[in-house]
Amino acid sequence: MATEAHAGRVLAVMSRDLVGYGGQWPDIVWPNGERLAVSLVVNFEEGAEEQVGDGDPRSERMGEVISVVEPGRPDPGQEQIFAYGTRAGLWRMAGCLKQHRVPATIFFCGRAVERAPDLARMLVEDGHEAACHGWRWRPHADYESAEAEARDLDRAAAAIASATGEHPQGFFCRGAESPWTRDLLRERGYLYTSNGFDDDLPYWDAAGGQPPLLVVPYALDTNDMKFFHPNGFVRAGEMVDYVTDALDVLEDEAADGGARLLNIGFHLRIAGRPARFKAFREIVAELARRRDRLWIARRIDIARAFRERVAPP
């Protein structure tokens, strides 16, 4: 790792690994005997987004539309768009997961959990994993110091543990990590981070360090955030078709002996809306139909299974 000065600060410059497994992925059979694992993630961010009404310097602009409220002014409309996720969307999505017996990983923002602890507890009691999504819904790359980031990591973990009884062992933040994030996670006993978009299998963090930290990659293409982007999904069927295509391709590769991981991401305020819930419902049902050909698992279980099969370098 090199360093360079920028705007009066010293930033770490990470070397980029553009080779990875070099086409020689580890030969993995997941615990149920299959070679394709599927991770379904539900993001629990509502109440953790920036809002002037909550004392933040600005309000989040990305929602059903781009906010037209002047920066620095309260934006109750955006507050309500986010609140829909926990007031209405969560109940549809939680019920669907329970109906089809599909386990999920919940990316919990600490401030969101602190405001709705009973909802967080319900999801974990349903068997879903509690993972840390930071204190607020913000990029960790924006932190000015390791100390500030550490305080928020600890605050988020404490809120999650208090509400759910489960201390998170997995992490994912909006955007990107800071130069210090992974060291902070190691110090706190995290097993994995999901801030990786560069492979179809988990891999050990190349920086090394003790204890070893696993990267369980995430994905932004098989993700309902693309309903909020102009180059993304419009109708529910578009996401269903896209995810089904991904399943088909990765199943073919698994049949040829290649272990794989597919990540599918959802948000309460996005897929919880009726028209988009159809995509969530049909994707969950399709996973259930393919259950005998897939390993549908929480990310913590994927991380543990990978660790048992592939030792740290």
Side-chain angles (χ1 to χ4, degrees), residues 11-312:
L11 299 180
V13 180
M14 301 297 294
S15 59
R16 295 176 60 192
D17 180 0
L18 301 178
V19 176
Y21 287 117
Q24 302 296 317
W25 287 275
D27 184 14
I28 295 173
V29 176
W30 298 112
N32 69 341
E34 301 300 328
R35 290 185 179 273
L36 174 57
V38 176
S39 164
L40 191 149
V41 168
V42 175
N43 290 268
F44 191 107
E45 301 160 345
E46 289 71 14
E49 81 283 0
E50 286 193 309
Q51 296 289 355
V52 171
D54 290 336
D56 297 318
R58 65 190 67 82
S59 292
E60 174 62 45
R61 298 190 67 223
M62 182 185 295
E64 292 292 335
V65 296
I66 299 298
S67 174
V68 296
V69 174
E70 288 293 322
R73 294 182 182 275
D75 191 346
Q78 278 286 66
E79 292 177 2
Q80 293 154 11
I81 286 169
F82 273 81
Y84 184 92
T86 42
R87 290 170 61 110
L90 177 147
W91 303 100
R92 291 190 179 102
M93 296 166 73
C96 181
L97 292 170
K98 184 179 291 188
Q99 175 189 349
H100 291 285
R101 297 179 293 111
V102 169
T105 292
I106 315 297
F107 283 165
F108 282 120
C109 285
R111 191 167 78 172
V113 170
E114 188 174 76
R115 294 175 133 173
D118 292 344
L119 302 185
R121 183 179 308 112
M122 178 192 75
L123 291 170
V124 172
E125 288 176 350
D126 282 350
H128 306 305
E129 175 195 357
C132 180
H133 198 23
W135 172 248
R136 294 190 305 177
W137 189 49
R138 59 166 291 183
H140 276 227
D142 290 350
Y143 279 101
E144 296 287 339
S145 70
E147 292 74 20
E149 184 177 4
R151 284 194 296 272
D152 277 355
L153 277 174
D154 292 341
R155 193 178 183 187
I160 293 166
S162 176
T164 69
E166 186 172 305
H167 196 283
Q169 297 184 61
F171 172 81
F172 177 75
C173 69
R174 182 183 187 183
E177 298 168 332
S178 78
W180 319 286
T181 301
R182 293 188 180 183
D183 285 338
L184 295 174
L185 296 177
R186 286 189 189 90
E187 292 168 5
R188 284 154 178 77
Y190 280 77
L191 175 56
Y192 74 86
T193 179
S194 286
N195 280 95
F197 305 100
D198 49 2
D199 216 303
D200 293 317
L201 273 184
Y203 55 89
W204 292 103
D205 178 27
Q210 293 296 326
L213 185 67
L214 192 62
V215 180
V216 180
Y218 192 45
L220 299 180
D221 65 322
T222 45
N223 193 301
D224 69 353
M225 280 297 291
K226 290 183 73 69
F227 283 112
F228 276 9
H229 290 275
N231 66 333
F233 309 127
V234 177
R235 299 291 301 274
E238 294 172 356
M239 184 174 185
V240 175
D241 289 346
Y242 191 92
V243 171
T244 301
D245 288 345
L247 284 167
D248 290 345
V249 169
L250 294 181
E251 274 194 20
D252 288 345
E253 293 181 0
D256 287 338
R260 295 291 185 265
L261 166 65
L262 176 64
N263 300 282
I264 311 171
F266 294 99
H267 298 72
L268 300 176
R269 65 189 177 280
I270 301 177
R273 289 279 178 178
R276 294 189 291 252
F277 175 69
K278 186 177 180 182
F280 182 87
R281 182 178 64 190
E282 293 190 9
I283 288 169
V284 170
E286 182 63 22
L287 293 177
R289 281 192 291 270
R290 300 190 189 208
R291 196 187 303 272
D292 62 344
R293 294 151 27 206
L294 312 167
W295 185 44
I296 309 168
R298 306 177 309 168
R299 300 178 80 75
I300 187 63
D301 300 319
I302 292 168
R304 289 169 176 159
F306 185 90
R307 181 175 61 177
E308 291 173 359
R309 289 156 176 78
V310 180

